[in-house]
Amino acid sequence: MQKHIVANWKMYKTIEEARQFIVELEPALTSCEAKVLVAVPSTALWNAAKQAVKMPVHIGAQNIDFHTEGAFTGEISAGMVKDAGAEFVIVGHSERRKFFHESSEIVNLKAKAALSAGLTALVCIGETGEERLADAVEATLKSQLLESLSTLSIDQLSSVILAYEPVWAIGTGVAATSKDVYSAHLLCRQIVAGHWGPDAASKLPILYGGSVKSDNARELLETPEVDGLLVGSASLSVDSFSKILLSQQVLNFS
Ligand code: PGA
């Protein structure tokens, strides 16, 4: 399957900074064989999506509300981000689970709202450091994955990207080892196969995220069961994100 490399800019970049980044990323994009996606702040969506037309990069949002419309001051619907040019949306990121108290039940509603609006849903799951210490990685991933996705049909699952992001690896500079990433991804694939069947499981892109940098991207991309990367802080500079895209290119030629 084609590798996916996703930038998650979080609450960084103005409209102009986003535009400039996309312009400067073009050389890396043209030589990269991965599918490249950039999740921009909502305010930059419309302009970034316009900028990215005819470029091999897909622009998306970082969050949506699950209602179609209504009196929900400050919220933005899936249809609205789609209207602004988004092709995908991140749902269930651990920062939203932690700071905005989003349960897997909410993540499920958001994933369904995204799919109904014609967006790809990039659904994140991952255990905390405490859960890992308590030997609860398997139980956590299983409950998050099934509670977030089990109501989806096989057809709907074909518009989902899953990201395994151990919470303890996000923003810490300490990525999971390739052995831990492999076993978590294999587990996710088995859970998906158990619920939707092996064919759907083999087609589901499963990305790794958590302190991905230009110096570990290649090893992570080479790890079996890893279909791509979700990159936070190292996606904020054109230089480091381009190097990550280039590690995919090196992989294809090696
Ligand atoms: P990080 O963030 O690469 O800065 O660890 C990843 C993420 O939160 O998606």
Side-chain angles (χ1 to χ4, degrees):
M1 149 184 353
Q2 185 186 23
K3 302 275 188 200
H4 293 60
I5 301 183
V6 187
N8 173 16
W9 284 350
K10 309 192 180 184
M11 202 170 71
Y12 293 99
K13 294 199 192 293
T14 61
I15 296 171
E16 174 54 21
E17 286 164 348
R19 186 198 66 78
Q20 206 177 334
F21 184 103
I22 294 164
V23 170
E24 289 174 11
L25 194 65
E26 182 147 28
L29 286 173
T30 31
S31 47
C32 169
E33 288 180 23
K35 182 168 182 174
V36 183
L37 302 93
V38 182
V40 306
S42 308
T43 46
L45 253 180
W46 168 250
N47 206 59
K50 265 202 304 185
Q51 184 68 38
V53 168
K54 299 204 181 107
M55 287 174 71
V57 59
H58 304 269
I59 303 298
Q62 300 170 18
N63 181 42
I64 45 165
D65 186 86
F66 61 81
H67 298 93
T68 317
E69 59 182 4
F72 302 103
T73 301
E75 293 301 293
I76 301 177
S77 71
M80 287 168 177
V81 298
K82 169 97 177 163
D83 184 43
E87 293 181 61
F88 74 98
V89 60
I90 299 175
V91 293
H93 190 281
S94 65
E95 286 152 15
R96 297 220 53 96
R97 290 180 190 262
K98 180 176 173 197
F99 300 126
F100 304 95
H101 314 293
E102 288 183 8
S103 61
S104 291
E105 197 185 351
I106 301 282
V107 176
N108 174 257
L109 294 172
K110 291 190 175 195
K112 285 193 292 191
L115 298 171
S116 306
L119 297 164
T120 294
L122 198 174
V123 179
C124 304
I125 58 170
E127 82 285 357
T128 62
E130 292 76 49
E131 284 161 340
R132 176 161 284 264
L133 284 176
D135 222 6
V137 176
E138 187 170 338
T140 305
L141 295 184
K142 190 166 188 184
S143 69
Q144 287 186 0
L145 198 162
L146 290 178
E147 283 166 26
S148 304
L149 298 177
S150 66
T151 62
L152 304 188
S153 65
I154 291 188
D155 191 40
Q156 286 175 310
L157 193 73
S158 66
S159 297
V160 170
I161 299 171
L162 186 69
Y164 167 60
E165 293 209 302
V167 180
W168 48 270
I170 296 177
T172 59
V174 183
T177 62
S178 125
K179 189 166 162 271
D180 286 340
V181 173
Y182 169 69
S183 54
H185 281 223
L186 189 63
L187 174 70
C188 292
R189 190 93 59 197
Q190 285 163 348
I191 297 166
V192 174
H195 194 83
W196 289 274
D199 188 48
S202 69
K203 288 183 183 143
L204 177 70
I206 307 182
L207 319 187
Y208 168 77
S211 294
V212 173
K213 307 283 176 222
S214 53
D215 57 3
N216 62 12
R218 186 175 176 188
E219 186 190 350
L220 289 161
L221 281 168
E222 279 177 329
T223 302
E225 300 294 337
V226 172
D227 302 311
L229 304 171
L230 177 51
V231 189
S233 59
S235 74
L236 290 172
S237 99
V238 174
D239 184 51
S240 70
F241 194 56
S242 297
K243 282 188 183 136
I244 291 171
L245 299 187
L246 194 69
S247 52
Q248 160 65 17
Q249 190 198 24
V250 172
L251 198 69
N252 286 336
F253 288 108
S254 59

